[in-house]
Amino acid sequence: QVQLVESGGGLVQAGGSLRLSCAASGSILSVNVMGWYRQAPGKQRELVAGITSGGSTNYADSVKGRFTISRDNAKNTVYLQMNSLKPEDTAVYYCNADSIAIAGPGTHYYGWDYWGKGTLVTVSS
């Protein structure tokens, strides 16, 4: 099966930076889309940034110019560089991987919509 493990969260002052990482493991042949979502207390989970295997990216308006998503396809790992952090960026950040080609006995199949357990980012004012 596929597992996603995030790392890199923590406490930082406003204006500071953090880098999140998420590694996908399992019998993975390829991952089409990887992304980061976040959920603040009392709010719905929202997309922060996404990236395709070809490198196309999209960002939430609230993070454009401050956050950068990147990935290492060979390592099935996605990163989120977060700069100029604001208190409103405080949330649990979740990694997502979608449309994954997974090796099976003599064949392969596709899995959809996998999530990590999340990593907490706290930005103090």
Side-chain angles (χ1 to χ4, degrees):
Q1 294 298 323
V2 173
Q3 287 189 323
L4 303 180
V5 178
E6 303 104 332
S7 61
L11 174 64
V12 64
Q13 288 189 333
S17 298
L18 281 175
R19 188 188 193 216
L20 305 183
S21 299
C22 170
S25 62
S27 302
I28 298 171
L29 298 174
S30 64
V31 183
N32 186 17
V33 181
M34 301 188 80
W36 290 95
Y37 290 72
R38 68 186 180 187
Q39 187 167 18
K43 295 188 177 182
Q44 290 187 332
R45 190 175 298 189
E46 63 175 359
L47 174 68
V48 176
I51 184 168
T52 68
S53 58
S56 296
T57 60
N58 66 296
Y59 295 91
D61 287 343
S62 59
V63 306
K64 283 181 181 177
R66 300 187 298 123
F67 291 9
T68 302
I69 190 170
S70 61
R71 64 187 284 175
D72 184 332
N73 289 333
K75 296 181 179 179
N76 295 319
T77 299
V78 64
Y79 307 96
L80 185 69
Q81 178 65 44
M82 305 185 293
N83 298 329
S84 302
L85 282 161
K86 304 176 181 179
E88 51 263 43
D89 294 318
T90 295
V92 177
Y93 284 70
Y94 297 91
C95 176
N96 176 267
D98 198 20
S99 185
I100 301 176
I102 303 168
T107 185
H108 70 277
Y109 60 97
Y110 286 90
W112 310 92
D113 203 24
Y114 292 89
W115 292 90
K117 294 183 179 180
T119 184
L120 177 62
V121 171
T122 304
V123 184
S124 63
S125 58

